[in-house]
Amino acid sequence: MTIIMKTFCKKVEALFQKDCFWKWSCIIVFGIVNVMYLYLALCKTFHYDEAYSIGIAANSFGEIIDITSRDVHSPFYYFVLKLFCMLPGLNELVGAKILSWLFMFLYMAFSAYVVYRRYGWKVAFFWTLVSGFVPSMIIQSTTVRMYTMGLFFVTVASYLAYSIYQRETMKKWILFTICSALSVYIHTFCMLEMVAVYGVLLLAVLIKKKYKMLGKVLGSGIIVSICFLPWLFTLWQQFTRWAGWENGWEGTFLPVSLESSTIYLSEWFSSMEYPQPLTVLFWVVLLLFASFHVRDYVRRSKDYLPCMGMILVGIILVVATVVSNYVAPCFLGRYALPLFAGVWLFAAIGIAKCQNYIKQIVISVLVIFFGIMAYRTEVQIEDASGLNTYIECVENNMDLSEDVIMADRYFNMMFSIYYPEARYMVYGYSPEGLPFRNTETFTSWEQLEGVDTVWLISFADNQGADLSEKFEAIQSFTFDYSYYQIKVEKLTRR
């Protein structure tokens, strides 16, 4: 038995030395991961932030600019979402998640190729494995928000900055400037992340005394700044408005407390909505394990690229802390993810350089295990049975030409996209920048004059709006939808 085990171990070790093994392993994992993501992209269950994106994209381009100027986001993503969903065979319900998946696919393909070209197939395999199975990437891969778009453009821009530092060409400068200009219009944090990228590039140029590049760095930065000028005034207004918001954040958005730190770790390595402490602990321990091998690798090779992602994330942590405490509260969880390609590279190089194939196998199995557990939960959340219950309720009981559907802002976001032709009233939402069609903010009883039937949507354990003065409940439905248990009540006049 001992001889058999030794022979087996030698064959495994020999296999791990073959480049073709890592090449095909990388390709297979890449394919499996993106098929998993694509399945999620074909689901039509949306949480309220996703439905908000769809609601905004249903407006005209001018209205999108007006709505986003009153909110906290730039309009570029919503423009792209609107144009993509106008393609033949697509609409907002079909194309929205596919667009996010497409950007995730491009991000993984580009990054895996870059890692392979620089470090070989072995590191590329571990990068693909880590980036593909970390729960935060599984969740964001098809979320109808701008995060995968930001992940792609910021990653490409960051790589181009490093490539320019190594060997500059005019083509690289042009592509870098274009990617940077697009990145700053995706999200406010993407803008801050690009400022950090430019700052690190400028510092590296000064330290290495590459003064011939100095003018080009500054010139590229000036071009991007000029491109962003039309939105800069709006951004300042947004920050000012959020700074004056006095409803409180309950500590969630301040990256200086122990509570918010645990929330951010859950967002980066698990999920804020359904955090798994063991999963978070595994990923933190994995990064600590990787740090020892990355340290040895950097000392020997003088290759500092594996550390750059961690440095950029550290800079954003400091910037977000300052902004949260002195300007306006901000949430650092998923907003920092556009820089995390470098974090996964840090982990991949650490795993690949440990030179112990047993440890590499154990780590790979654990990465896949925790990733599959997170994916299983996400599939359950995306289950369409709750949505089917709601659609059946509407089709069999509601008269969309006469009845009013009333909900607070969250439920209006989630459900108005399925029947945009219905008449909606939403409470708890400012009328300024309301993105949904056929929707008005409920402020007085006069708005319900002549209305005999109201359908009230709320959490199952929440009464929602108190309409008991004028209406009484005669029918009720409850069902699970995404993270929530929803109650739909039919109210008629007393």
Side-chain angles (χ1 to χ4, degrees), residues 187-201:
H187 193 279
T188 302
F189 256 82
C190 289
M191 181 270 292
L192 295 175
E193 286 154 3
M194 288 313 305
V195 171
V197 169
Y198 270 95
V200 170
L201 177 60

Side-chain angles (χ1 to χ4, degrees), residues 285-297 310 346-347 350:
V285 171
L286 177 59
L287 288 176
L288 290 174
F289 168 83
S291 66
F292 291 103
H293 298 285
V294 171
R295 178 196 60 188
D296 294 337
Y297 167 76
M310 304 296 282
F346 182 89

